[in-house]
Amino acid sequence: MKGTSIGEFEELCLLAVGVLYPEAYGLSIKDEIESRTGRSATISTVHSTLIRLEEKGFLQSEMGGATEARGGRTKRLFELTAFGKNVINEARELRNGMWRDIPKVIWEGSSK
C-alpha cells in the first residue's frame, strides 16, 4: 500500500499501543518501549509520534476518565485502527520475509 511506510520508532509506538490495549496512553507507551528496548525515550517524542500516527490514520484516541491517582486529570487513550493494524502487519511480513531470505551460510559458515 502506498503511504504506509513507517520508521522504527513509529513501529515501536504502534506495537506498544497494541500490547497495552486498552490502557495505551503516553506514559505507559513510553515505559513499554523503554523496558522492551533498553533505550530511553522522552515523553515529548512519544506524544509527537502518537499524534503523527493518529494524523496518518494508524491510531485513534479518546479521553479516558479522570483518576485520583492522576490528580483528577484525564489521559488520552490510543487504539490501533484497522489501517494501523494493516501497517504493522505489513512491516512484520516484510521483516520476516527478509529474515527468511538470508542464506543459511551467513549464520553457519563464512566469518568474513
Side-chain angles (χ1 to χ4, degrees), residues 5-86:
S5 65
I6 53 175
E8 180 191 17
F9 195 74
E10 289 177 321
E11 183 177 354
L12 290 172
C13 285
L14 290 171
L15 291 168
V17 168
V19 167
L20 294 167
Y21 178 83
E23 289 296 318
Y25 59 96
L27 187 59
S28 68
I29 294 165
K30 173 191 175 300
D31 291 345
E32 186 71 19
I33 290 169
E34 289 180 341
S35 71
R36 298 269 186 151
T37 66
R39 300 181 339 204
S40 63
T42 65
I43 193 66
S44 60
T45 299
V46 171
H47 278 141
S48 63
T49 303
L50 294 170
I51 290 166
R52 184 172 60 252
L53 291 169
E54 189 169 23
E55 288 171 353
K56 290 179 176 183
F58 302 155
L59 295 175
Q60 60 188 21
S61 68
E62 63 181 37
M63 296 307 289
T67 62
E68 218 174 282
R70 292 179 47 86
R73 294 176 300 155
T74 59
K75 56 187 166 189
R76 181 167 297 279
L77 298 170
F78 290 88
E79 181 178 345
L80 292 166
T81 63
F83 189 36
K85 291 174 192 175
N86 286 338

